[in-house]
Amino acid sequence: MVELRTLAYFATACRSGSFTQAAADLGIAASTLSTTMKALERDVGLSLFRRINNNLYPTDSARALIRSADPLLMAELFARRWVAAPAKARLRRLTVEAGLSFTIGGLSKAIRYAVDRMGVERPDVFVDPLWADEKDIPHLGGMAEEWDDGKSSRITLALDDESPRASKRATTLLSDRWVFACRMPAGTPHYPKAADLAAGRLVVPLLSPPLIEQAERYFSQHRISGVRFLGDHPGDLPRIMDDYPDAALFVPETLVSPRLGLLNVAAVVPEKPLTTKIIARAAEPDAVTALFVRHLRRALTETKPSRAERPVVSLRQIRYFNLVQRLRRVSAAARGANISQPALSEQIHKLEASLGGALFERHGDGMIPTDKGERFDRMARLIEARFRQLSTGDAAAAAAQSRRIALGILPSVNQHGFLVNRITEAMLDVQARHPALKLVIREAPNGTLQDWVIRGLVGVAIVETVLPQMPRLPLGSSERLAAIVHTRHDLLPPGPVTLANLARLQLALPTNRFGLRQLLDDAAEQHDVRLRPYMEIDALPMAVAILARLPVCTVLPASAVEREIAAGDLAAHPIIEPTISRRLFVIYSGERTLSESERGLVNSLRRKLSEPAK
């Protein structure tokens, strides 16, 4: 069972500048925090953090998880305060509907702070945030949507469209400046000039339509061209910055507020400024809505340090409380929880100590909830129901469905090759099972792919050779290498060719960045054969094209050029003495586990590669 404390560590880590800072705020060792986060990844089956170069940042799955975890943490804090509130207090609900996309920092962090401050002054008001403009988990509603008793208020947070009607009863929370954002080395004394950034490469993430329209008008008015509008969620800015290292992002400043993955980011205000107003509007203004708006505006306009989440009540205790409340006997609740009666009683006593009073009256024939117990009951049922939704996959599955796979593949000679077609079929298979999945495919030689995986530029890669320390999964595919020649030059007699005889030919081979070349060199060294390439070509289509023009030979798996062989243009001569085979592996970083969709891709690749060529 994932505990509230683990989710609290996770939320604090994501909203802090680094794991070291988060650990210090939590009062634990950085190694303890790192170990806890790896255990959380295993428990939820999601890849939550990724490292690129020296930057560790939350993945899109982490953003989805924290969106689901935030309400649980806020509900636990409210439950403690509500139980301790004066007996005459009556429960109220304040729904905060944010018509904006959820990101780990910025507005969500400000709402979290405002809820905390609100609870100090009004422990009777349960604040229930809703993210209306969210593409990842659109069905994840508020925790207390089904409450139909007691007083309720509602606030809508939105972008100001500057119409008189929209501005009525609206309070401006923040005039959010747009900035050019890019990474800079720590200690950089001077940031780039805005004019230089505007003249360079610019990218804009998938902001809400009003923001995209505002950015487009700005570019048109100031004659800024060549801007690339991305399909990437604005919550993924750390990854976007590393995907486009030569570009500056153009975004509202709140989106680049300091958090994990966004340290050492320069936010440069354009020479011609652009601002977006974030407003709050209450359907029926009252003291509760006014108080929350005041705290939220303060949180957005003042620099606040990251708040370490510190839940006191555990999900295990909540589950045990709900069992006792429903069954009214400790013995029956212990059987339901599959633990001993003394162990359950101990947890109930600890819960009561945390909440400052008895939750049950003990009688010979059972347990009766006290007034504090009745108060805690409603929140305990709410928290367990939301956690069950999270743990059984409603939120986590949606997060998995919306994840991104960045796959590195080996270069191909052309679109007809066996490997490239099998990879294509596997990707389409995974895409059909995860329609919201975003696939990013990058092609590079074997050595570059290994480097990209280590640096986090791709999540998984298909390679021919593997560094010893890298986790790898064999794809079960093994192909013999062959000498490939053009039939017009009559370089080799029909049949196989020994490695020694191959070395006597003029060879057009890739450099040792290619796994294929590494396999050749290793075999040559072991058999005391010296390979002296006539030319080295890393562009495989060019290496094949040159065969028709020069009496040279290259080395490939025959399946890479099977169409040309069938047409009679090329001939393949299997290499013998020794036989050299190419095996394929999927590699990934040892700092994380494979996501569900990545595991699905690996399994699909194994199936497709085991099928005979059509």
Side-chain angles (χ1 to χ4, degrees):
M1 174 187 286
V2 176
E3 265 299 348
L4 280 174
R5 177 174 293 182
T6 301
L7 293 177
Y9 285 4
F10 167 66
T12 301
C14 288
R15 290 192 167 117
S16 299
S18 65
F19 266 32
T20 302
Q21 178 186 329
D25 292 340
L26 290 164
I28 61 175
S31 58
T32 300
L33 179 60
S34 179
T35 300
T36 304
M37 292 302 95
K38 288 182 179 179
L40 176 61
E41 288 185 314
R42 290 193 298 271
D43 289 341
V44 300
L46 299 172
S47 178
L48 300 176
F49 301 97
R50 182 161 292 172
R51 185 179 296 278
I52 289 186
N53 299 325
N54 292 322
N55 300 310
L56 185 72
Y57 67 86
T59 63
D60 50 356
S61 298
R63 173 170 42 80
L65 180 60
I66 200 171
R67 185 189 162 199
S68 302
D70 263 352
L72 286 169
L73 297 170
M74 289 188 279
E76 186 272 343
L77 177 58
F78 173 79
R80 286 187 278 128
R81 289 171 169 169
W82 173 233
V83 168
K88 63 181 181 180
R90 295 294 177 263
L91 186 62
R92 294 190 54 157
R93 178 192 181 203
L94 172 62
T95 300
V96 179
E97 181 177 339
L100 301 165
S101 297
F102 179 89
T103 62
I104 290 174
L107 185 59
S108 74
K109 184 177 178 180
I111 289 175
R112 187 70 188 85
Y113 179 86
V115 169
D116 185 24
R117 295 295 89 203
M118 182 83 174
V120 174
E121 298 181 46
R122 291 297 301 266
D124 60 318
V125 178
F126 177 66
V127 182
D128 196 11
L130 282 168
W131 293 91
D133 182 33
E134 188 51 71
K135 305 166 186 66
D136 285 324
I137 320 177
H139 64 282
L140 188 63
M143 289 188 68
E145 285 184 315
E146 296 181 2
W147 286 4
D148 55 7
D149 58 334
K151 292 185 177 181
S152 63
S153 304
R154 193 179 193 91
I155 293 174
T156 300
L157 309 180
L159 303 174
D160 186 10
D161 62 9
E162 299 182 352
S163 67
R165 183 176 179 181
S167 299
K168 188 178 180 181
R169 292 186 181 178
T171 300
T172 298
L173 297 171
L174 177 70
S175 291
D176 200 4
R177 304 182 303 178
W178 287 66
V179 295
F180 298 120
C182 56
R183 290 199 192 281
M184 300 296 293
T188 300
H190 303 293
Y191 288 162
K193 294 181 179 179
D196 294 336
L197 294 175
R201 190 181 184 195
L202 295 177
V203 295
V204 179
L206 186 61
L207 304 172
S208 62
L211 291 177
I212 292 293
E213 291 172 7
Q214 191 177 14
E216 287 177 334
R217 286 196 302 270
Y218 181 87
F219 295 141
S220 176
Q221 290 169 3
H222 300 289
R223 299 181 180 179
I224 299 174
S225 60
V227 179
R228 182 170 181 181
F229 289 84
L230 307 176
D232 300 87
H233 193 284
D236 297 331
L237 292 190
R239 176 185 55 75
I240 295 172
M241 286 185 173
D242 287 301
D243 282 353
Y244 300 91
D246 60 334
L249 275 75
F250 189 57
V251 291
E253 192 171 20
T254 53
L255 290 182
V256 290
S257 59
R259 60 183 184 274
L260 191 65
L262 287 181
L263 281 180
N264 304 324
V265 171
V268 181
V269 179
E271 292 180 351
K272 302 289 181 60
L274 176 67
T275 59
T276 296
K277 287 185 178 180
I278 300 175
I279 61 172
R281 187 184 300 110
E284 297 180 6
D286 55 27
V288 170
T289 60
L291 179 62
F292 183 82
V293 167
R294 186 163 65 249
H295 284 305
L296 183 57
R297 181 164 51 186
R298 185 177 302 160
L300 284 167
T301 55
E302 297 177 5
T303 302
K304 299 288 183 184
S306 298
R307 176 186 177 277
E309 304 281 356
R310 301 182 186 279
V312 175
V313 177
S314 70
L315 285 167
R316 180 178 288 104
Q317 290 171 342
I318 289 172
R319 178 168 176 256
Y320 293 166
F321 170 88
N322 286 336
L323 282 169
V324 174
Q325 170 73 353
R326 186 170 70 251
L327 301 174
R328 299 300 170 97
R329 298 183 68 87
V330 173
S331 57
R335 286 195 297 272
N338 197 27
I339 63 169
S340 68
Q341 185 172 329
L344 188 140
S345 295
E346 180 184 7
Q347 289 299 318
I348 294 296
H349 283 302
K350 288 182 177 179
L351 176 61
E352 290 176 325
S354 299
L355 297 177
L359 300 176
F360 296 101
E361 293 178 1
R362 276 76 170 170
H363 297 275
D365 58 348
M367 310 275 279
I368 299 176
T370 63
D371 290 342
K372 281 184 178 292
E374 292 285 6
R375 280 198 166 188
F376 186 68
D377 171 53
R378 189 168 198 174
M379 295 308 302
R381 284 187 285 113
L382 201 66
I383 292 171
E384 186 176 16
R386 174 52 66 94
F387 179 74
R388 192 180 300 115
Q389 181 187 21
L390 173 64
S391 61
T392 56
D394 227 15
Q401 290 287 325
S402 65
R403 276 200 307 274
R404 169 184 184 271
I405 291 182
L407 172 67
I409 65 172
L410 295 163
S412 59
V413 173
N414 55 49
Q415 74 272 26
H416 306 301
F418 174 81
L419 179 59
V420 71
N421 277 280
R422 289 297 186 263
I423 294 173
T424 301
E425 291 169 4
M427 290 189 308
L428 293 175
D429 180 45
V430 173
Q431 187 83 67
R433 286 184 280 115
H434 302 285
L437 185 69
K438 179 178 180 181
L439 290 168
V440 178
I441 314 300
R442 293 182 170 180
E443 184 183 78
N446 199 92
T448 302
L449 291 176
Q450 293 173 346
D451 181 58
W452 282 358
V453 168
I454 292 170
R455 294 168 56 201
L457 295 176
V458 296
V460 292
I462 300 170
V463 297
E464 298 158 320
T465 60
V466 185
L467 295 174
Q469 73 274 17
M470 295 197 75
R472 86 287 308 267
L473 296 170
L475 290 176
S477 172
S478 179
E479 280 191 280
R480 291 177 62 180
L481 297 186
I484 308 297
V485 297
H486 200 282
T487 53
R488 72 171 53 167
H489 296 303
D490 198 24
L491 292 178
L492 290 169
V497 59
T498 65
L499 184 61
N501 287 335
L502 179 69
R504 298 188 181 99
L505 299 176
Q506 293 188 113
L507 299 176
L509 299 178
T511 66
N512 60 11
R513 293 296 288 174
F514 279 68
L516 183 149
R517 175 65 182 276
Q518 294 169 22
L519 292 171
L520 274 175
D521 287 347
D522 289 345
E525 183 179 356
Q526 291 172 12
H527 289 78
D528 201 24
V529 174
R530 187 176 180 184
L531 294 176
R532 291 183 293 249
Y534 174 68
M535 58 178 64
E536 291 186 316
I537 306 175
D538 279 350
L540 295 186
M542 181 180 290
V544 172
I546 209 166
L547 298 181
R549 294 164 174 79
L550 293 175
V552 297
C553 170
T554 192
V555 174
L556 291 169
S559 65
V561 287
E562 59 185 353
R563 179 170 292 199
E564 291 80 358
I565 293 172
D569 296 328
L570 300 179
H573 303 267
I575 299 172
I576 60 172
E577 298 180 15
T579 297
I580 307 173
S581 296
R582 178 182 76 169
R583 297 182 61 204
L584 296 177
F585 302 87
V586 165
I587 58 172
Y588 59 97
S589 171
E591 296 183 355
R592 68 181 189 90
T593 57
L594 289 178
S595 67
E596 177 188 347
S597 50
E598 288 171 333
R599 289 193 296 270
L601 176 61
V602 171
N603 291 333
S604 184
L605 282 167
R606 285 171 171 163
R607 289 195 304 272
K608 298 298 181 183
L609 289 170
S610 66
E611 296 174 0
K614 298 176 182 178

